[in-house]
Amino acid sequence: MAIKKQYLKSKPVCKVTFSVPAEEAKSVAVVGTFNEWNTEATELKKLKNGTFKGTVDLAKDASYEFRYLIDGTYTNDDQADSYAFNAYAGEENCVITL
């Protein structure tokens, strides 16, 4: 899995691209505090090579918790900036800091 950050000079925004290699998966979404954990808000598109990819514009100077939802199973990204325990989920969430 990969996270790419591209800061814009013209706005206080960072374009964050999420890439998830999941050839066998039917659907992959990224859910988090930036989309109120909505499982349908940020679905990633499957590329020909089997990687799911999508870009989200996020305000910089902030941190966001997130996880991937791969065919109904929540998964963390091993390249997250850090991890935070979430009592509601009973597990750690990924954290991205911009």
Side-chain angles (χ1 to χ4, degrees):
M1 291 177 229
I3 301 169
K4 181 182 169 193
K5 302 174 187 176
Q6 180 183 5
Y7 293 90
L8 301 182
K9 292 180 181 177
S10 58
K11 300 184 218 175
V13 169
C14 181
K15 287 187 170 291
V16 180
T17 302
F18 298 95
S19 299
V20 180
E23 284 186 41
E24 305 299 319
K26 291 185 168 95
S27 69
V28 177
V30 62
V31 296
T33 52
F34 53 85
N35 63 10
E36 298 178 4
W37 300 97
N38 182 337
T39 59
E40 297 174 8
T42 314
E43 292 185 11
L44 305 183
K45 292 188 172 127
K46 189 169 190 175
L47 306 178
K48 288 181 182 178
N49 67 2
T51 298
F52 285 80
K53 198 172 196 179
T55 302
V56 180
D57 289 352
L58 300 175
K60 59 183 204 176
D61 300 324
S63 292
Y64 303 91
E65 290 185 27
F66 74 96
R67 295 186 92 188
Y68 297 113
L69 185 61
I70 302 173
D71 287 342
T73 302
Y74 286 98
T75 305
N76 281 341
D77 192 320
D78 57 355
Q79 294 186 9
D81 294 330
S82 62
Y83 300 91
F85 183 78
N86 182 296
Y88 179 76
E91 294 185 48
E92 286 190 333
N93 289 331
C94 301
V95 175
I96 186 169
T97 303
L98 306 174

